[in-house]
Amino acid sequence: MHWPTRTGCLGTLPAKALPAMLLSLPLLLMSVASPAAGQGFELAAHAGVFNVARSSASAEAGLEVRFPAGRWGLVPVVGAAGTDRSAYYLTAGLRRDLPLAPRWRLAPGLGVALYEKGDDKDLGGSFQFRSMLELSYAVSRRSRLGVVFYHLSNAGLDDLNPGSNSLVLNWAVELTGPAP
């Protein structure tokens, strides 16, 4: 099946991607609407492997801003990442931080991404979905070290949908608010 497309600065976007992007904005706004008292912003940097376990793997690095947790404990996230083969993506989504032990935390998350392949893997189009899972450890009162696995895929919105998996090391620092 071939979906109608729109061409923009990030290449070709499936027409069905626009409703998904518009539906994600209210979720982000709802989660920010009532932040939990005393929660601060986090800035996270990551480095690792894009398209891990493939012969076409490349190095990846990125930054992410995590907003204070809002309704239902959802944490809005925006970020950007790039590879050493000129691919890059911008992402927005939600994550949920789940404490496992006093210093350990597990965080699943979902989001949308706008992807530009550069000289890296063709994921079938610009609009992608991002699912992730992070396991992190509090190394100090305001910083965490974690391992993140995530998957980028267009969920079949385009004819080509190979997806990509990344494995990265993540360092997050709380910028405001009380110590965790």
Side-chain angles (χ1 to χ4, degrees):
M1 175 183 282
H2 182 69
W3 300 106
T5 59
R6 296 177 189 239
T7 301
C9 66
L10 286 172
T12 303
L13 214 92
K16 283 200 162 190
L18 188 58
M21 291 171 68
L22 292 176
L23 287 173
S24 65
L25 288 176
L27 287 174
L28 283 170
L29 293 174
M30 281 177 25
S31 66
V32 176
S34 59
Q39 297 253 328
F41 288 86
E42 283 185 348
L43 180 62
H46 75 259
V49 181
F50 178 80
N51 205 29
V52 69
R54 303 280 186 219
S55 61
S56 59
S58 55
E60 173 182 331
L63 291 173
E64 186 174 88
V65 176
R66 301 170 182 170
F67 295 89
R71 191 167 288 155
W72 306 299
L74 297 174
V75 176
V77 176
V78 295
T83 73
D84 63 347
R85 293 189 185 144
S86 303
Y88 65 91
Y89 67 89
L90 306 173
T91 185
L94 298 169
R95 62 183 272 149
R96 177 81 153 96
D97 295 335
L98 306 168
L100 296 177
R103 291 181 164 244
W104 290 93
R105 181 166 74 189
L106 186 67
L110 293 171
V112 294
L114 292 176
Y115 176 77
E116 181 63 47
K117 72 180 182 96
D119 294 326
D120 216 323
K121 186 171 186 176
D122 185 356
L123 296 180
S126 297
F127 183 77
Q128 303 290 315
F129 292 95
R130 183 176 185 250
S131 54
M132 57 79 68
L133 187 64
E134 176 183 346
L135 178 64
S136 66
Y137 179 79
V139 294
S140 72
R141 290 177 8 153
R142 296 192 187 272
S143 63
R144 304 189 71 80
L145 183 62
V147 174
V148 184
F149 176 82
Y150 73 84
H151 177 75
L152 282 176
S153 168
N154 65 45
L157 292 175
D158 289 293
D159 292 333
L160 178 63
N161 183 28
S164 176
N165 296 317
S166 290
L167 186 61
V168 298
L169 187 61
N170 191 55
W171 182 266
V173 177
E174 187 177 350
L175 300 176
T176 60

